[in-house]
Amino acid sequence: MSYHLDAIAPHGGELVNRVATPAQKETFLSKADFLPRVTLDERAVSDLEMIAIGGFSPLTGFMNQEDYDRTVAEMRLANGVVWSIPITLSVTEEVAAPLQVGGVVRLDNPNGEFIGVLELSEKYTYDKKREAINVYRTDDAKHPGVQVVYNQGSVNLAGDIWLLQRDSHPHFPSYQIDPAASRQMFRDKGWKTIVGFQTRNPIHRAHEYIQKCALETVDGLFLHPLVGATKEDDIAADVRMRCYEILMEHYYPIDRVILAINPAAMRYAGPREAIFHALVRKNYGCTHFIVGRDHAGVGDYYGTYDAQYIFDEFAPGELGIVPMMFEHAFYCKRTKQMATTKTSPSKPEERVHLSGTKVREMLRRGELPPPEFSRPEVAAELARAMSIPTVLA
């Protein structure tokens, strides 16, 4: 691939491809019954896929101890390249004990299907509390990201991976656009500047407002909602995607927007995950990335704009991708439009604040979000998904 044609180089300079060729796959499959196996959970399957397709470039596998330790401590890989979230394959001591360093490990999905291999280079133990405090800024087991760390095995398996089997997404096959493909799409459209947007929540009008503000300054918008593992109380991915489809159909300039899925799992790591999300979108070919209020946050673990402040800890050239910072948007009753404190003359009582959390709470109470919160078609779709009777005005 000729990356000089792209708007931005992948993180680390080269887009990783660890999808096995047909010949490699045949070789591994012929050994399937003789290889030691490890069963991956949903998040590990997502990580395996993201490594293989280059979404986690420059990673070529699950992290070794040197990369892991420096990522946890300094948000960098061993070679100094910025990386903020540990990508590890954690197993119990019982699972790890018989595995031989230097050997090949069969990786199965939760259904027992042989989907990948790990070229095991290292086994190491790690400090769960240290990872929790450094990455999530808390050791509270109620935090969903910390909870995952505490519940996973105490041994990390390191090594390069190969992805053998990748099925079409069961719900969104047409939106399963890998980094190499999204980069090609941007080239085909002649886009030189592309802004990426991440969300795990149903889109509301504050999202729409900041997306369109960003789109005023760049060539294209890459809507990239996360469809990997999320919290149980998050709105289902198929509902969120349908809301995007509705907006694309009625409210967005279709020739300047691309909708694709991000198969990664959610970590809820707040500031560190904002950096992580930006680097992933850089790999997909985005030159800019929207960072809003409490990006990737949960509960009250992070300050409202901590996810923006963390970008100041790096020199611009280190990240490559440009963060676009937005304040909390609201509906201004005085001007009767979306705004922020930068553009609205309103007093606090004249503002209708929006958030995915508020929308979820309203739906669970059987209430339909008002037009200040959501476009009517989107509100109706959310109500239908939550089995709330509604009549569109």
Side-chain angles (χ1 to χ4, degrees):
M1 199 175 201
S2 299
Y3 289 117
H4 67 281
L5 297 174
D6 287 348
I8 190 171
H11 196 49
E14 183 177 346
L15 194 65
V16 167
N17 179 4
R18 302 295 295 186
V19 179
T21 64
Q24 287 174 315
K25 180 176 178 178
E26 189 176 338
T27 299
F28 286 127
L29 288 177
S30 69
K31 303 175 181 176
D33 294 337
F34 307 100
L35 295 175
R37 71 178 69 188
V38 169
T39 300
L40 307 181
D41 61 16
E42 185 182 0
R43 186 165 95 170
V45 171
S46 292
D47 288 347
L48 176 71
E49 179 178 345
M50 288 295 286
I51 294 166
I53 64 176
F56 288 173
S57 298
L59 302 187
T60 55
F62 291 103
M63 285 183 170
N64 61 30
Q65 186 166 12
E66 194 176 6
D67 281 333
Y68 168 83
D69 283 342
R70 195 163 182 200
T71 295
V72 170
E74 303 174 46
M75 291 190 287
R76 295 181 186 276
L77 300 175
N79 62 7
V81 171
V82 174
W83 196 264
S84 57
I85 297 287
I87 304 298
T88 56
L89 176 54
S90 302
V91 299
T92 63
E93 292 180 7
E94 292 75 19
V95 170
L99 303 178
Q100 297 297 313
V101 171
V104 173
V105 178
R106 167 178 167 168
L107 302 177
D108 287 4
N109 66 16
N111 297 325
E113 297 167 317
F114 183 12
I115 61 167
V117 295
L118 171 70
E119 297 173 346
L120 185 60
S121 63
E122 192 178 345
K123 299 187 289 186
Y124 61 96
T125 56
Y126 62 103
D127 186 332
K128 292 185 178 186
K129 187 170 183 177
R130 175 173 172 267
E131 179 175 332
I133 290 173
N134 283 25
V135 175
Y136 298 98
R137 299 190 179 185
T138 179
D139 59 359
D140 183 356
K142 294 177 182 176
H143 184 292
V146 173
Q147 192 174 78
V148 169
V149 174
Y150 287 175
N151 289 340
Q152 69 193 15
S154 59
V155 180
N156 285 342
L157 306 180
D160 288 346
I161 58 90
W162 290 102
L163 182 65
L164 304 189
Q165 176 181 320
R166 183 161 181 247
D167 300 326
S168 293
H169 196 282
H171 303 298
F172 322 114
S174 62
Y175 298 116
Q176 195 173 19
I177 302 169
D178 293 346
S182 59
R183 286 171 170 272
Q184 184 64 54
M185 293 171 80
F186 301 159
R187 285 202 298 274
D188 291 345
K189 288 179 173 289
W191 293 353
K192 299 298 183 186
T193 49
I194 306 99
V195 63
F197 182 81
Q198 147 78 31
T199 182
R200 71 177 195 271
N201 285 316
I203 186 167
H204 49 69
R205 291 193 62 186
H207 292 148
E208 181 185 342
Y209 174 74
I210 63 177
Q211 289 167 8
K212 288 180 174 177
C213 285
L215 189 53
E216 291 284 4
T217 68
V218 297
D219 297 331
L221 170 65
F222 188 55
L223 294 176
H224 206 212
L226 183 143
V227 299
T230 57
K231 294 190 285 89
E232 287 184 4
D233 61 344
D234 281 346
I235 301 292
D238 58 337
V239 178
R240 293 185 276 119
M241 287 296 289
R242 179 63 191 139
C243 292
Y244 268 112
E245 289 175 333
I246 290 168
L247 281 180
M248 294 273 285
E249 183 179 350
H250 297 287
Y251 296 102
Y252 282 63
I254 196 68
D255 60 329
R256 295 192 60 214
V257 184
I258 292 174
L259 175 63
I261 57 171
N262 173 15
M266 195 71 198
R267 259 76 179 182
Y268 304 95
R272 280 207 183 209
E273 194 159 10
I275 297 291
F276 179 59
H277 284 163
L279 297 179
V280 168
R281 278 28 178 249
K282 176 185 177 183
N283 286 328
Y284 276 83
C286 295
T287 57
H288 296 69
F289 182 66
I290 293 171
V291 186
R293 181 193 65 88
D294 195 27
H295 186 105
V298 63
D300 298 318
Y301 292 101
Y302 311 110
T304 305
Y305 294 105
D306 284 358
Q308 296 183 357
Y309 302 147
I310 195 172
F311 282 84
D312 295 334
E313 298 181 25
F314 303 96
E318 290 188 303
L319 297 178
I321 192 168
V322 179
M324 299 182 80
M325 312 294 194
F326 287 90
E327 291 195 8
H328 191 191
F330 50 80
Y331 182 83
C332 173
K333 293 180 180 179
R334 187 186 300 191
T335 60
K336 294 181 171 55
Q337 62 187 9
M338 298 301 302
T340 70
T341 54
K342 289 183 176 180
T343 57
S344 171
S346 60
K347 296 177 181 177
E349 60 269 21
E350 298 175 286
R351 302 167 186 172
V352 179
H353 284 280
L354 314 107
S355 72
T357 301
K358 281 191 176 181
V359 169
R360 289 197 303 272
E361 289 173 353
M362 292 182 74
L363 290 168
R364 290 195 185 94
R365 290 197 302 266
E367 301 172 17
L368 197 63
E372 294 87 356
F373 267 68
S374 300
R375 295 292 188 180
E377 300 91 337
V378 171
E381 175 63 25
L382 290 171
R384 184 198 62 77
M386 303 286 282
S387 300
I388 299 170
T390 178
V391 177
L392 269 179

